[in-house]
Amino acid sequence: MCGLSGFILNAEACNYPIHNTITTMTNTLIHRGPDDYGIWIDDRFQVALGHTRLAIQDISHNGFQPMHSLSSRYTIIFNGEIYNHLDLRNDLESQSEDKIVWKGHSDTETLLKAIEVWGLKNSLSRLRGMFAFAILDNKKRKLLLVRDSFGEKPLYYGVVDQNFVFASELKAIKQFPNFKNEINKTALAEYLKYGYVPCPLSIYKNIYKLQPGHFIEIDISSDHLSYSDPEEYWGLEKFIANHRNNLFNDDGEAVSSLETALKSSIEDQMISDVPLGAFLSGGVDSSSIVALMQEDRMDRVKTFTIGFEENEFDESTHARAIANHLNTDHTELIVTAKDAQDIVPQLPIIYDEPFSDSSQIPTFLISREARKNVTVSLSGDGGDEIFGGYNRYLWGPSLWNQVKFIPRMLRPIVASGIQLIPSDAWLRIEGLVNKFNLGAGVESLDIKASKYSNALKTASSEDGFYESFLTKWEDPKILINGLDEDYSDRDKDLQNSSLSPHNFLSRMMINDSLHYLPDDILCKVDRAAMANSLETRVPFLDHRVLEVAWRMPDSMKIRGSETKWALRQVLYKRVPKNLIERPKTGFAIPVGEWLRGPLREWAESLLSEKKLDEEGYFHSQPIRVIWDQHLSGQYDWTDRIWSILMFQSWLEQN
């Protein structure tokens, strides 16, 4: 994997130290690419490009970047992998009248030639991979930024002091001279709702994330810097529409097609000139990936799992059983609470903007352990979103069918009654779980009950009901000092979205794929892995796998009380069912308990009323109320408190 940075100076900024600036920006991304380093400056147009390289394919100097096309028309800096680039080379050679002379065998060189021959849009339609890149067209005097279909690789862009800047991570952009961009309070409000800053926003004003499946064009032909709105070249909704009318009607055909597509994706993603392995949690997704990786191989796949001293959070024994059955070369890291807590101060540096998915901690730890043995690791991310794995897919529709029959005027009364029950009481009322069909899952009963009560009070539709289960703080306006009165959240957009032709289950899965997957899951994995100079790959997001998944009717994803039915059939051919069947627990850690114990002093320092009031971003009273309630042990407000703490920690660091 690699790191990108660059800028275009406006005509009035010619006194900026171009070389020093691009060098400083690029130096902040060494962790993304420790193997090579390059910068390129075009003094004519005041353009600078920087690149740090983690060498994966063609580790020789032939893969050095910034890379120039043989015609000198294009200059590119590229982050990612194009898994089908050898097929693209064959196509280019078969279509060329003259013999193509290749300098090396990197996918970046293949992409450069493809764009030169086919153009950008035609080339993008042929790519299978994950990527973010910047390419300068010296002939048309344009710079183009491109991001992959699902947003596996990050790319920020925007304006600093009237200059256009971009980079893989915000830390590089913040090195640009006179960076004084203010915190975007709309982005802060969205962060408090979801635990991440959703695309295209960033935590700073005038800095954005390029949306997945989009590119943006910047004109450098005149003194007046201008750029277009991002243009979509691939969209999930269009992709689904093209395949949803051709649904499988036979279980065997569907499972066989999935098996073939997933095998092909994994085979492509195992191409590497450096050591490669896989994360293995012992769940359906990662076990499926590892089982197919190990199949028909003489050498043992290197697998990695993490375990905790706290038994209720430790899944390492399940992963070990899978690894033993598949005969992988397995590494198991058991960490203490202190090991995990020691990572907390590093989180603002790793993630660059507030991010409160606490599984960021074990993700970092397992990435650090894997990097001791491999440079590339495959993961099972994306399986939940496309095959129906989250518990909300299982119980969401049936639960809404119960809620909608409760008269609107009675819902707040029922919600208030639920909220009066303290956390410790939920352990004694398991019958309520069955009554509301909440099912087993990652979250504790009191958190589920809190979300259910919030849904009762606020949701007026299926989509609003779904959104209520994703939110940390349902009303950021009560927290943020100076938030615009006309602030409106994403709920309203979802209720009127283009997804209306789909049923409730499909809409949940599509919305998670569009938002939660790129902005939370893929962001979490990319930053945690790249902080350790580890490349991660996601076979489930191959378009061939997606096509099969979206040709499946709902009954092939959720059958009875079983999630990911079709994927399980592929896995059960290779792993005994009894090694897999257990409640879904996720990648959880006991943050709530730590906040009452070893992290209490750290948290208290960030949540003090004096500190909150002096900083001026939050109204302190509602935060102090839930903090005191959490400390009492009667309520579990882990999600809400952690979101505030991650912002406070980020603010202090920055």
Side-chain angles (χ1 to χ4, degrees):
M1 210 51 63
C2 306
L4 314 179
S5 64
F7 56 83
I8 306 169
L9 299 183
N10 68 39
E12 299 176 355
C14 295
N15 59 340
Y16 274 41
I18 297 181
H19 187 277
N20 288 346
T21 298
I22 190 62
T23 299
T24 303
M25 290 175 66
T26 307
N27 282 343
T28 66
L29 301 174
I30 293 295
H31 58 283
R32 296 189 72 92
D35 298 329
D36 216 340
Y37 177 98
I39 61 174
W40 181 79
I41 297 170
D42 188 332
D43 290 317
R44 297 170 302 165
F45 304 115
Q46 302 291 289
V47 176
L49 304 177
H51 187 265
T52 62
R53 184 184 182 211
L54 180 64
I56 304 295
Q57 295 189 49
D58 193 350
I59 60 177
S60 73
H61 195 69
N62 290 325
F64 179 82
Q65 298 182 49
M67 186 180 291
H68 308 279
S69 64
L70 290 178
S71 66
S72 298
R73 175 175 175 177
Y74 296 104
T75 302
I76 193 171
I77 47 176
F78 177 85
N79 169 27
E81 301 292 342
I82 299 174
Y83 305 122
N84 65 328
H85 90 95
L86 295 178
D87 293 334
L88 297 179
R89 284 199 173 199
N90 291 334
D91 292 343
L92 287 165
E93 290 172 347
S94 65
Q95 295 173 22
S96 176
E97 295 181 0
D98 302 317
K99 179 177 176 59
I100 298 177
V101 178
W102 303 101
K103 294 169 58 178
H105 62 272
S106 74
D107 51 357
T108 307
E109 186 181 9
T110 306
L111 176 60
L112 260 181
K113 189 64 178 178
I115 292 173
E116 196 165 41
V117 173
W118 297 325
L120 179 69
K121 289 185 179 180
N122 287 335
S123 296
L124 290 174
S125 68
R126 297 169 181 250
L127 302 184
R128 289 202 308 271
M130 56 176 182
F131 50 81
F133 65 87
I135 185 165
L136 183 65
D137 185 335
N138 293 291
K139 180 179 179 180
K140 292 187 176 181
R141 298 182 181 181
K142 295 182 185 298
L143 177 72
L144 295 108
L145 306 180
V146 187
R147 194 176 182 200
D148 64 62
S149 300
F150 271 89
E152 291 184 59
K153 295 295 104 186
L155 191 54
Y156 292 84
Y157 72 93
V159 174
V160 176
D161 196 24
Q162 301 181 54
N163 303 284
F164 185 87
V165 295
F166 67 91
S168 296
E169 297 182 14
L170 279 172
K171 58 176 60 70
I173 289 177
K174 290 174 63 179
Q175 292 301 311
F176 193 85
N178 296 325
F179 180 90
K180 297 176 182 178
N181 296 45
E182 296 178 354
I183 288 176
N184 184 338
K185 289 189 176 180
T186 297
L188 176 56
E190 293 287 278
Y191 160 73
L192 290 177
K193 280 185 69 71
Y194 302 110
Y196 55 82
V197 178
C199 192
L201 299 174
S202 87
I203 194 61
Y204 293 112
K205 291 182 178 179
N206 299 320
I207 303 294
Y208 305 94
K209 303 181 184 82
L210 185 59
Q211 298 102 309
H214 283 68
F215 68 87
I216 188 170
E217 187 176 280
I218 305 95
D219 186 357
I220 61 172
S221 62
S222 66
D223 291 341
H224 179 67
L225 186 65
S226 64
Y227 57 93
S228 63
D229 291 332
E231 181 178 340
E232 184 178 82
Y233 70 86
W234 188 89
L236 178 63
E237 295 173 54
K238 293 178 182 177
F239 180 88
I240 292 171
N242 289 336
H243 298 98
R244 206 60 176 151
N245 293 325
N246 186 27
L247 294 179
F248 291 109
N249 54 26
D250 179 78
D251 286 350
E253 181 188 4
V255 172
S256 176
S257 297
L258 173 58
E259 191 172 36
T260 299
L262 197 50
K263 278 184 175 181
S264 297
S265 173
I266 291 170
E267 182 179 349
D268 287 351
Q269 297 196 22
M270 289 185 72
I271 295 175
S272 173
D273 293 335
V274 293
L276 176 145
F279 296 144
L280 177 62
S281 70
V284 173
D285 299 332
S286 64
S287 298
S288 298
I289 298 297
V290 170
L292 291 170
M293 289 176 71
Q294 187 63 72
E295 193 166 65
D296 301 326
R297 290 178 65 89
M298 297 298 294
D299 56 322
R300 299 167 69 198
V301 172
K302 296 181 183 296
T303 54
F304 305 91
T305 193
I306 188 170
F308 294 93
E309 289 182 329
E310 295 91 343
N311 290 334
E312 65 269 33
F313 295 94
D314 182 31
E315 289 198 299
S316 62
T317 55
H318 303 298
R320 188 189 314 139
I322 302 293
N324 289 339
H325 177 78
L326 296 173
N327 194 32
T328 68
D329 181 3
H330 192 57
T331 298
E332 186 177 288
L333 174 67
I334 303 298
V335 299
T336 65
K338 186 178 185 306
D339 294 329
Q341 293 157 18
D342 286 345
I343 303 302
V344 172
Q346 301 179 43
L347 296 177
I349 301 170
I350 295 169
Y351 285 88
D352 269 346
E353 58 183 347
F355 185 80
S356 69
D357 183 339
S358 61
S359 64
Q360 62 198 138
I361 297 173
T363 304
F364 175 87
L365 291 169
I366 192 61
S367 297
R368 186 172 66 183
E369 183 66 21
R371 187 60 178 91
K372 296 175 183 177
N373 298 274
V374 299
T375 310
V376 178
S377 183
L378 273 62
S379 83
D381 295 307
D384 284 318
E385 289 81 2
I386 66 174
F387 292 110
Y390 293 127
N391 286 305
R392 57 180 169 268
Y393 302 154
L394 183 64
W395 48 256
S398 61
L399 189 55
W400 171 250
N401 285 335
Q402 298 175 33
V403 169
K404 69 183 181 181
F405 289 113
I406 301 176
R408 291 292 299 274
M409 64 176 57
L410 294 181
R411 292 180 192 176
I413 299 173
V414 177
S416 297
I418 294 173
Q419 290 177 333
L420 288 174
I421 303 173
S423 292
D424 53 3
W426 286 107
L427 298 176
R428 302 188 297 272
I429 51 175
E430 289 293 336
L432 192 61
V433 179
N434 296 325
K435 180 178 179 182
F436 291 122
N437 194 25
L438 288 172
V442 177
E443 296 172 327
S444 58
L445 282 178
D446 52 336
I447 294 176
K448 284 188 173 74
S450 174
K451 291 187 175 183
Y452 179 74
S453 63
N454 290 334
L456 275 174
K457 288 189 296 184
T458 61
S460 59
S461 69
E462 290 178 335
D463 294 323
F465 188 68
Y466 153 78
E467 277 287 292
S468 70
F469 282 92
L470 300 180
T471 58
K472 318 294 183 186
W473 292 88
E474 66 272 10
D475 185 10
K477 288 183 179 179
I478 68 171
L479 291 177
I480 300 175
N481 186 20
L483 182 62
D484 291 341
E485 286 299 320
D486 60 353
Y487 163 76
S488 61
D489 55 46
R490 206 172 64 198
D491 295 4
K492 297 179 180 63
D493 294 331
L494 285 174
Q495 293 176 36
N496 298 292
S497 74
S498 60
L499 303 182
S500 55
H502 298 282
N503 63 24
F504 190 16
L505 173 61
S506 293
R507 291 203 307 279
M508 286 193 289
M509 293 171 63
I510 295 170
N511 277 315
D512 280 342
S513 297
L514 291 172
H515 302 291
Y516 180 65
L517 178 61
D519 292 334
D520 187 305
I521 301 299
L522 297 179
C523 171
K524 174 186 66 181
V525 175
D526 174 83
R527 304 305 192 280
M530 291 312 301
N532 293 287
S533 302
L534 176 74
E535 175 178 297
T536 51
R537 298 178 178 179
V538 188
F540 283 125
L541 298 186
D542 185 286
H543 288 191
R544 293 166 294 184
V545 178
L546 287 172
E547 178 180 342
V548 173
W550 282 105
R551 287 184 59 203
M552 291 180 179
D554 295 345
S555 61
M556 293 184 185
K557 296 178 180 179
I558 295 179
R559 183 162 295 185
S561 61
E562 188 172 58
T563 60
K564 291 185 281 198
W565 179 85
L567 182 60
R568 289 175 188 271
Q569 308 319 301
V570 175
L571 176 59
Y572 292 156
K573 293 181 181 180
R574 296 158 176 86
V575 176
K577 190 174 183 178
N578 67 293
L579 293 184
I580 298 294
E581 290 298 316
R582 63 184 185 278
K584 184 180 179 65
T585 59
F587 214 9
I589 54 175
V591 170
E593 287 301 313
W594 294 349
L595 291 175
R596 297 186 184 103
L599 292 181
R600 179 171 178 170
E601 184 178 348
W602 166 78
E604 185 62 61
S605 69
L606 293 173
L607 299 178
S608 74
E609 185 174 354
K610 182 175 184 291
K611 186 178 186 67
L612 292 169
D613 290 341
E614 287 179 350
E615 291 167 345
Y617 288 100
F618 295 130
H619 300 296
S620 59
Q621 184 180 10
I623 294 173
R624 293 300 307 182
V625 167
I626 68 153
W627 175 232
D628 290 340
Q629 289 179 347
H630 184 83
L631 290 178
S632 73
Q634 291 187 314
Y635 297 89
D636 187 346
W637 296 119
T638 301
D639 279 354
R640 293 186 180 187
I641 293 167
W642 192 248
S643 67
I644 299 294
L645 286 170
M646 285 296 95
F647 176 80
Q648 289 292 96
S649 182
W650 172 85
L651 189 65
E652 190 172 73
Q653 180 68 42
N654 286 271

